Amino acid sequence: MNVFKLFSRGSPINYYKRIFRCFRYRLFYTAVADPDKIIWVAPRDLKFSWSEKIGSRRKRSGDIINGEWDLDIVSFEQLLEASWDTDAKISLQKTKYKSIFKHFIEGIPWEQTELFQNSNLDILKVDRGCSTFNELLYRYNKEINDLYSNIKENGILSFSKENPEIGNMYVHIGRNGEIIKGEHGQHRLAIAILLNIDYIPFKVRARHRDWQNIREMVFRKLNCGREDEIDDTLLNHPDLQDILQHD
């Protein structure tokens, strides 16, 4: 693996931080994943977190982290049905999905959706980089509607030389392999679910230490010719395909 090629994007400071983390982890682990690796995940297999601890790890690609940050998670259905809100950003997350569905399925104008109610506007304007209501509404009518058309035609795209303007979507991997949605990309994910897109490309930000130990175990058993001892539930996990398909 060409390490320096992997870390060619971003600021010089982040460049060296990522190099340092990669080499540091390789002192303790064998099956350290390529931090630029793409995994393909079915939208309904994603979990969602109520914990701010995950968000704090968003900018540290390739981290291997211990702790309980991965425990407070719900399914997509549970997220939409939840009647309790522990945090304004979490409430906005749920509202985004519901409002996107309302707009594209029922044709409700953006300004009439729950997303544009007063309680959400301040956070939403910051989130979208807008200073006024009209600017925010324009961006939704233009950018999110265009995003829907683009995803309908091309599916979910990830960053590449051909698509340098597209930001990657991120997930975290919990201790038992739970795939936990990162903070950004909610509009793309909602549209993908709405359009019944089978799989979405993600990069992995953080892995729980227990999951990294599972990656190590799978790697060792494959190298020892004991692949028949690997649990069947692991064979199709998106974050293990780099090990299972390695020549």
Side-chain angles (χ1 to χ4, degrees):
M1 178 177 66
N2 187 333
V3 174
F4 290 94
K5 181 179 178 181
L6 296 176
F7 300 101
S8 59
R9 293 180 58 211
S11 71
I13 293 177
N14 288 334
Y15 170 88
Y16 288 112
K17 282 183 177 179
R18 294 178 70 187
I19 290 177
F20 174 77
R21 281 201 302 274
C22 181
F23 282 111
R24 183 187 66 186
Y25 287 135
R26 288 186 179 277
L27 294 175
F28 303 99
Y29 301 105
T30 303
V32 176
D34 177 343
D36 280 350
K37 178 184 77 168
I38 295 292
I39 67 173
W40 292 84
V41 183
R44 297 290 180 178
D45 288 342
L46 291 167
K47 302 295 183 183
F48 296 80
S49 175
W50 298 112
S51 174
E52 292 185 352
K53 295 178 182 178
I54 289 186
S56 67
R57 301 293 181 177
R58 178 176 59 83
K59 294 184 179 180
R60 300 188 58 179
S61 183
D63 259 342
I64 299 171
I65 310 168
N66 204 11
E68 299 183 353
W69 56 267
D70 61 323
L71 295 180
D72 197 9
I73 57 177
V74 295
S75 68
F76 183 72
E77 289 76 14
Q78 291 171 322
L79 174 69
L80 294 183
E81 294 172 0
S83 59
W84 41 272
D85 298 320
T86 60
D87 179 86
K89 287 188 176 181
I90 292 169
S91 176
L92 182 61
Q93 181 181 187
K94 179 180 68 175
T95 301
K96 278 183 181 179
Y97 291 114
K98 287 187 172 182
S99 297
I100 289 170
F101 293 162
K102 288 279 187 180
H103 177 75
F104 289 112
I105 294 176
E106 301 178 20
I108 296 176
W110 286 115
E111 62 270 28
Q112 295 179 21
T113 64
E114 185 180 351
L115 187 59
F116 276 75
Q117 301 309 303
N118 290 335
S119 59
N120 298 315
L121 284 179
D122 287 342
I123 297 177
L124 190 60
K125 283 189 290 188
V126 172
D127 187 41
R128 303 303 297 179
C130 300
S131 57
T132 67
F133 176 90
N134 287 336
E135 182 184 2
L136 180 66
L137 182 58
Y138 172 82
R139 293 193 66 172
Y140 264 79
N141 279 322
K142 173 62 177 172
E143 296 177 6
I144 304 303
N145 288 356
D146 286 351
L147 180 64
Y148 177 90
S149 299
N150 185 276
I151 292 175
K152 186 174 183 180
E153 181 177 353
N154 302 307
I156 298 284
L157 302 176
S158 57
F159 176 90
S160 66
K161 291 182 179 179
E162 294 75 24
N163 303 294
E165 75 287 354
I166 296 176
N168 288 301
M169 298 170 66
Y170 294 92
V171 291
H172 311 280
I173 311 295
R175 67 190 62 202
N176 295 313
E178 303 89 348
I179 304 174
I180 306 169
K181 176 71 178 65
E183 185 177 350
H184 293 294
Q186 295 166 15
H187 297 89
R188 282 177 284 176
L189 176 59
I191 292 170
I193 292 173
L194 184 61
L195 294 173
N196 293 314
I197 291 178
D198 293 330
Y199 293 96
I200 300 175
F202 291 95
K203 285 188 177 181
V204 179
R205 281 296 195 200
R207 292 174 177 84
H208 196 281
R209 188 182 299 173
D210 289 353
W211 176 249
Q212 181 61 36
N213 289 334
I214 291 175
R215 285 178 56 87
E216 299 294 312
M217 176 270 295
V218 171
F219 182 84
R220 288 194 301 270
K221 289 190 174 183
L222 283 175
N223 279 354
C224 295
R226 297 160 53 197
E227 56 268 20
D228 57 318
E229 298 179 12
I230 299 173
D231 194 297
D232 289 343
T233 60
L234 297 175
L235 296 178
N236 293 318
H237 194 286
D239 194 46
L240 292 176
Q241 298 312 304
D242 57 328
I243 299 174
L244 294 168
Q245 298 177 10
H246 183 71
D247 293 331

